[in-house]
Amino acid sequence: MRLQGLLFALGVLLSWCLPGIASAADLRAEVAIDRETMGIGETLALTLAVTREGRGPLPEPELPNSVTENFDVSGCGSRQSSQTHLVGNSIRMVHTRATECSLLARREGTFKIAFSVSDGHQTFNSNLVEVAVSAAPAVPTASAPGERPSEAYGWAFLWATADRERAYVGQPVHYQLDFYYTQDRRRRFGAALRAAPSFQEFMFSHELPAVEPRIEEVDGVAYSVETISRRGLIAASAGTYVVSPAEIEVRGKGVVRSAPVTIEVLPLPAEGQPPGFAANNVGRYTIDASIDRTTLKVGQPATLTIQIAGTGNIDLVDPKPWPELDGLRRYDPKTETKRDTGERLGGVRRYEFLVIPERPGALTIPTHELHFFDPEVPGYETVRTVAIPLEVEGTPLVDQNPETPGTASAKTEDQSDTASDGDLPLIPIIAAEALPRTAVVEPWLTFARWSYGMLAVPLLAGLSLGGGFLWRRFGPDEAARLRSRNRARRRSLIDKARSAVRDGEGFHTAVATLLQELAVERAGPEGVGLPRLQLAALLGRRGLQSTEIAQWERLLDRCDRARFGSQAPPVHGGSSDPSAPGGRSNDSQSEREAFLEDALKWVRSTSAWPGAMR
Amino acid sequence: MGAQHVGMARSDAMRANSASLSWLIVVAILVPSIARADAVDDAFVRGNQAAQAGAWNDAVSAYEDAVAMLSRDNALLSFNLGTSYAELGELGRAMAHLSRAASSSNEPSPEVLQSARENLERVQRRIELQSAASGAMLDPPPTSWEAVMSALGAPVLAWLALLSGWAFLVLLLARLWRRSIQDAYDGVIGAILMVLAILFIGLGSLHWAAIRSNRVAPKAIVIENMVPAREGPGHHRKQEFVLQGGSRVRIVANTPGWSQVRLSSGVEGWIPQASVGLLEGSRIPPPSTLSGAPVARKT
């Protein structure tokens, strides 16, 4: 078995090695291009490959001179790969080493491309390919300022334009560079800006807000358009200015260029120029003044806002010195500039002054003029603010800061500025001989106590409601409460009888009431108000033994005798009202004690009655 | 007899000794506090004299000495100290001390209260002026919501909520125990219980929220004149804005040496802890050096 396994492994190894050894000398060089014709500025993909069947070193292909002399080479990369082919019973291994480059044609003509590699003593030549390079396509140029392209320029082109060819010093010129490319051959993600337009000749170059990508149809061709650059360009001196061309390379396609843009800058005319005119004030502006309040008190600060708005180089607008404000103190302004996000260079420049009236009365914020050169006219213009009247109340500040004898209002040198800064003087310190000590009583209701008190309320309310619920659920019912009341009444009557044993006053009444109520309780609701005989009969029907009924009647009769004497009502058929008034009995205390014991014995026996309520 | 006499004399002597000892203890307890009271008064008077002479730095030093010796704020002392700071141009500290002088918890006299309020108003005006001139951020004027929250934190509201709760509880228990009352006045008692419950829950919740907001984010005043507020604790962190001294802020977080403050507009930033003083409680730190400061730059 072991021998068989060894032979099998050897067989597999030989079948793998022998074909490779057989084809070791098969080396092949090959050149490939992705197109045979191209224009100057377009790119060509070149591949140089060396392939060997079987094992052995793979030489690296080198670019031939015909390529390096006539093309710009970029983006070269090398790769190796191996393939296994099963042909009949044999396995063939093919190894490939390839170099890929991007070629940009420099000149017109037809160029042959081939290369060779050597493998030891042998040289292998590749196939020969030819590329015909034609002249560069025309760079699209706008014939008029701001013109849009009217002719399609192939798969992609750059369109550079300015909104004017001629401008004045300080006048913004709006430059825009758009990249047009056809949608079906879009390779935008592979595009790179090779050369950006240069604005160095201009003194100011403000970037304008970007424009969203869009689709434009040019001469029947739909192009995707992306704005590469939008600038507001301002020249500081007269002359001819040129924005250099831009270049964009699209990987695998080529390079597109824009046309240079030339602008002639004219000096500002001397005619009509206001004296001291600021050369940066070129554009079209408005000026406006406002104040946050027109009725003030002396020393009360207010905010005066002067706003210059319009198109032009708003950042450099020079408003010239602000006028003096009579009766008002003015501080340095806070300046804020907001550029427009629209098509034109412009915006709003805002000056916020803090002003403080120093004297009462009718004051005025005077007008302020702004001179500017309007290139659209062209000519010099003047705009001005409207005067703002103010009503100021109070007394002049200088009179409100007297030196009060005996107070601490004397100022050091440093404070003299502070005192004259438009404020009322401070109330002086209170000079006492000693510091009054007040025993400040801490409030009883601290936050902790308050919290505990507040939390206790729902807690106790919950406990109460829960307790009430449990009492109703598990506490005594109505019958139990009735029994409880009866027992209490009974105990009360017994106590009353006991207390009356000594002098006999009310003794028999209490005992009679006790006996009667017990009998009625046993007899039930039907027994209420019955004469004694009917009650006794009813008790008999309720199951009481005759001896107990007789004992009850005997006890009641004795009570009646004691209470009413010879006028005692007849036992049979008489009223059973135990609460009828009765006088003091003539029996002795011992007799009453004995009688009470008898009555209590009967009372105790009632607890054993059938159906007695406990 | 003789022995009895000796014993009585000895007990008298012991009684006299213990009385003397008691006196000594009382004196020993009282003398330091009396001495301290004198020292406070001395410092206070010294401050008054310096202030009347216009030596505000000396006045502030003397008043700060007096403050350091007292265990709690004194309205008159806080007023004089705040006024002195205002005269020096230390408007943030002036605002803080004057606020304490006007605080009802310090029971100011009517004269002190009135003077403190007036000086507070004037210092506030100077602060607004400084802020407008420097561009430093100042807390916006108090909103009506803040006034409501302040009112909700008043003790009277606490009492009202608490008493409503307990009245509710008593009435509820009476209703549970006395069914006869419930039967006779069921509607009336129910309505009263409802009102009391609403008062208890509503006022209690609002008062709790007001107190809690004060505890979680206590009120404070920026005591330095211009304080850069940064995006995090540390001088290396980016400066977000500059806070005007005297701004009322709330301290929402603390790290060693730094406090995160929030203005009523919601803007937040980190400033050094020494630049901010609580409106109530701990002592307001005095400045390291005293100097007058210009209020605004005139053009």
Side-chain angles (χ1 to χ4, degrees):
Chain A
M1 284 292 287
R2 198 174 297 167
L3 184 62
Q4 283 178 348
L6 199 62
L7 288 174
F8 178 74
L10 189 62
V12 170
L13 190 64
L14 285 173
S15 66
W16 184 72
C17 289
L18 285 177
I21 295 168
S23 60
D26 292 340
L27 195 68
R28 195 168 65 245
E30 190 176 4
V31 60
I33 52 176
D34 66 339
R35 68 172 87 176
E36 293 177 341
T37 58
M38 64 187 295
I40 292 177
E42 294 184 4
T43 54
L44 170 78
L46 171 71
T47 305
L48 307 177
V50 178
T51 304
R52 181 194 289 277
E53 287 188 16
R55 294 185 175 183
L58 275 175
E60 184 173 357
E62 293 182 357
L63 288 173
N65 290 338
S66 61
V67 169
T68 54
E69 289 169 358
N70 301 307
F71 296 88
D72 284 337
V73 181
S74 62
C76 285
S78 182
R79 63 176 170 82
Q80 288 195 36
S81 62
S82 297
Q83 288 180 315
T84 305
H85 300 279
L86 189 62
V87 180
N89 293 328
S90 63
I91 298 173
R92 293 169 57 197
M93 296 291 291
V94 179
H95 304 279
T96 305
R97 184 169 192 171
T99 298
E100 294 174 343
C101 292
S102 183
L103 307 183
L104 189 67
R106 289 183 195 150
R107 58 179 66 90
E108 202 176 343
T110 300
F111 305 105
K112 295 177 180 176
I113 302 175
F115 75 105
S116 59
V117 292
S118 64
D119 181 24
H121 307 291
Q122 197 174 359
T123 300
F124 296 90
N125 294 319
S126 73
N127 58 322
L128 181 69
V129 294
E130 286 190 359
V131 180
V133 179
S134 57
V139 175
T141 308
S143 57
E147 186 192 33
R148 304 310 301 167
S150 58
E151 183 184 344
Y153 292 92
W155 58 272
F157 65 93
L158 277 171
W159 185 260
T161 182
D163 67 338
R164 63 188 71 246
E165 293 174 310
R166 201 167 285 114
Y168 286 96
V169 170
Q171 180 184 5
V173 176
H174 298 91
Y175 170 86
Q176 184 164 328
L177 177 66
D178 294 321
F179 178 43
Y180 284 71
Y181 55 94
T182 50
Q183 290 178 313
D184 55 336
R185 301 175 71 179
R186 175 178 177 177
R187 296 192 182 178
R188 178 69 186 92
F189 290 110
L193 190 65
R194 278 166 55 107
S198 172
F199 312 111
Q200 288 181 351
E201 294 184 5
F202 295 89
M203 178 160 279
F204 300 105
S205 165
H206 297 288
E207 193 167 348
L208 295 174
V211 178
E212 290 293 315
R214 58 202 180 276
I215 293 175
E216 284 185 18
E217 189 174 312
V218 181
D219 197 18
V221 179
Y223 284 96
S224 294
V225 185
E226 286 187 26
T227 299
I228 306 299
S229 175
R230 282 187 75 224
R231 292 273 175 168
L233 307 173
I234 298 167
S237 59
T240 301
Y241 291 78
V242 177
V243 180
S244 65
E247 286 183 7
I248 283 184
E249 179 181 359
V250 180
R251 188 181 301 162
K253 287 304 298 177
V255 175
V256 290
R257 292 181 180 82
S258 69
V261 175
T262 305
I263 298 157
E264 185 183 358
V265 178
L266 308 172
L268 293 178
E271 186 184 349
Q273 189 175 83
F277 178 76
N280 291 325
N281 293 2
V282 178
R284 179 171 288 182
Y285 298 106
T286 59
I287 189 168
D288 180 47
S290 62
I291 193 165
D292 60 347
R293 63 193 90 178
T294 54
T295 305
L296 296 155
K297 293 177 181 172
V298 172
Q300 183 181 11
T303 303
L304 169 67
T305 305
I306 295 180
Q307 179 175 293
I308 299 171
T311 56
N313 194 6
I314 192 73
D315 295 87
L316 294 179
V317 165
D318 184 358
K320 292 293 177 184
W322 303 104
E324 284 302 317
L325 307 178
D326 183 30
L328 293 160
R329 174 166 298 138
R330 187 190 64 225
Y331 291 86
D332 281 344
K334 282 193 288 185
T335 309
E336 181 188 19
T337 304
K338 282 186 181 175
R339 280 199 210 135
D340 272 351
T341 56
E343 291 285 320
R344 320 288 298 179
L345 187 63
V348 176
R349 190 166 173 83
R350 188 175 288 117
Y351 301 86
E352 283 188 2
F353 298 88
L354 182 72
V355 293
I356 299 170
E358 292 180 314
R359 61 174 172 79
L363 304 180
T364 302
I365 293 174
T367 61
H368 181 69
E369 291 184 340
L370 175 72
H371 304 289
F372 62 89
F373 177 76
D374 186 348
E376 304 296 336
V377 174
Y380 292 94
E381 302 281 341
T382 301
V383 289
R384 53 183 61 84
T385 63
V386 177
I388 302 174
L390 299 178
E391 286 292 328
V392 182
E393 299 171 350
T395 53
L397 282 176
V398 287
D399 296 334
Q400 286 195 347
N401 195 16
E403 294 290 331
T404 308
T407 66
S409 57
K411 306 260 184 291
T412 63
E413 196 171 326
D414 282 343
Q415 283 91 57
S416 59
D417 286 343
T418 307
S420 62
D421 266 327
D423 302 296
L424 293 173
L426 295 165
I427 303 290
I429 64 155
I430 298 172
E433 290 300 319
L435 200 60
R437 306 295 206 282
T438 51
V440 178
V441 181
E442 293 294 334
W444 178 84
L445 189 61
T446 59
F447 184 66
R449 285 178 177 163
W450 181 81
S451 301
Y452 291 139
M454 292 293 284
L455 288 175
V457 170
L459 189 66
L460 292 176
L463 286 175
S464 304
L465 290 172
F469 171 76
L470 291 175
W471 179 258
R472 282 193 299 277
R473 176 71 180 80
F474 301 107
D477 57 4
E478 195 60 34
R481 279 195 287 273
L482 179 63
R483 285 197 299 273
S484 175
R485 280 200 299 273
N486 287 340
R487 277 197 296 274
R489 167 81 175 153
R490 215 176 297 160
R491 279 195 296 273
S492 161
L493 290 170
I494 290 171
D495 291 343
K496 191 176 175 185
R498 281 188 200 281
S499 62
V501 164
R502 182 181 292 270
D503 58 357
E505 182 70 35
F507 172 76
H508 289 95
T509 305
V511 174
T513 306
L514 175 64
L515 295 171
Q516 181 70 22
E517 286 187 0
L518 270 175
V520 170
E521 182 185 329
R522 178 63 187 88
E526 292 176 27
V528 176
L530 284 181
R532 189 176 300 163
L533 279 179
Q534 280 85 340
L535 185 57
L538 184 58
L539 287 174
R541 288 199 296 278
R542 291 281 187 260
L544 248 66
Q545 292 180 0
S546 57
T547 53
E548 288 173 334
I549 296 171
Q551 174 70 358
W552 172 71
E553 285 179 326
R554 189 176 57 77
L555 290 168
L556 277 179
D557 285 345
R558 182 168 171 184
C559 287
D560 289 346
R561 278 198 302 278
R563 290 161 66 196
F564 306 113
S566 58
Q567 294 152 5
V571 172
H572 302 290
S575 167
S576 63
D577 181 9
S579 59
R584 181 191 294 263
S585 63
N586 294 325
D587 48 3
S588 64
Q589 181 178 349
S590 59
E591 287 172 332
R592 285 194 294 276
E593 284 175 352
F595 177 65
L596 180 60
E597 281 306 314
D598 286 345
L600 290 181
K601 268 185 200 167
W602 185 86
V603 167
R604 286 188 201 106
S605 73
T606 58
S607 61
W609 287 352
M613 292 183 293
R614 297 181 189 285
Chain B
M1 280 296 284
Q4 260 185 340
H5 272 297
V6 170
M8 284 175 63
R10 194 172 289 168
S11 71
D12 286 346
M14 284 184 65
R15 210 171 293 157
N17 281 342
S18 64
S20 304
L21 187 64
S22 304
W23 272 110
L24 275 175
I25 291 171
V26 169
V27 167
I29 292 171
L30 290 179
V31 160
S33 63
I34 294 167
R36 171 175 282 197
D38 289 343
V40 171
D41 285 337
D42 285 347
F44 177 65
V45 171
R46 193 156 29 91
N48 291 344
Q49 290 167 348
Q52 286 170 334
W56 297 109
N57 283 331
D58 296 341
V60 163
S61 295
Y63 290 141
E64 288 284 10
D65 289 345
V67 167
M69 283 185 276
L70 287 176
S71 59
R72 52 165 297 139
D73 288 333
N74 181 286
L76 176 57
L77 185 56
S78 293
F79 169 73
N80 283 4
L81 182 55
T83 304
S84 303
Y85 272 127
E87 296 286 2
L88 278 174
E90 292 274 350
L91 299 182
R93 284 190 169 77
M95 181 67 96
H97 286 288
L98 289 172
S99 298
R100 289 193 174 201
S103 170
S104 59
S105 62
N106 293 326
E107 298 189 353
S109 67
E111 182 190 9
V112 171
L113 180 61
Q114 179 66 23
S115 303
R117 282 179 177 167
E118 289 194 22
N119 276 359
L120 268 176
E121 190 180 329
R122 294 166 193 196
V123 169
Q124 177 68 29
R125 185 177 294 182
R126 291 185 182 185
I127 287 171
E128 287 172 6
L129 196 65
Q130 268 195 358
S131 169
S134 66
M137 189 175 285
L138 184 64
D139 59 312
T143 59
S144 53
W145 171 248
E146 286 176 19
V148 168
M149 288 301 283
S150 178
L152 289 175
V156 65
L157 213 71
W159 275 110
L160 196 56
L162 191 62
L163 293 177
S164 300
W166 282 91
F168 169 85
L169 186 63
V170 168
L171 203 57
L172 182 71
L173 292 177
R175 188 183 184 189
L176 285 176
W177 288 345
R178 291 286 182 182
R179 294 295 178 116
S180 56
I181 296 177
Q182 179 189 351
D183 295 339
Y185 306 104
D186 196 31
V188 176
I189 291 177
I192 293 173
L193 281 174
M194 181 74 76
V195 169
L196 290 174
I198 289 171
L199 285 175
F200 171 70
I201 295 172
L203 295 182
S205 305
L206 292 171
H207 181 73
W208 180 82
I211 295 292
R212 189 174 178 280
S213 81
N214 271 342
R215 290 183 161 229
V216 172
K219 290 179 184 173
I221 287 182
V222 179
I223 53 177
E224 299 290 349
N225 272 346
M226 304 276 281
V227 182
R230 302 182 182 276
E231 64 175 5
H235 288 289
H236 63 287
R237 306 301 288 268
K238 181 186 168 192
Q239 178 179 318
E240 295 279 347
F241 53 91
V242 176
L243 259 176
Q244 174 65 47
S247 291
R248 288 171 187 271
V249 295
R250 283 185 181 272
I251 297 177
V252 294
N254 279 303
T255 60
W258 290 84
S259 294
Q260 188 183 17
V261 297
R262 181 194 299 149
L263 276 74
S264 57
S265 57
V267 178
E268 290 183 353
W270 288 85
I271 62 175
Q273 264 175 355
S275 307
V276 67
L278 289 173
L279 266 184
E280 290 179 358
S282 61
R283 188 186 166 203
I284 296 166
S288 51
T289 55
L290 291 171
S291 62
V295 171
R297 189 158 52 92
K298 183 183 173 185
T299 55

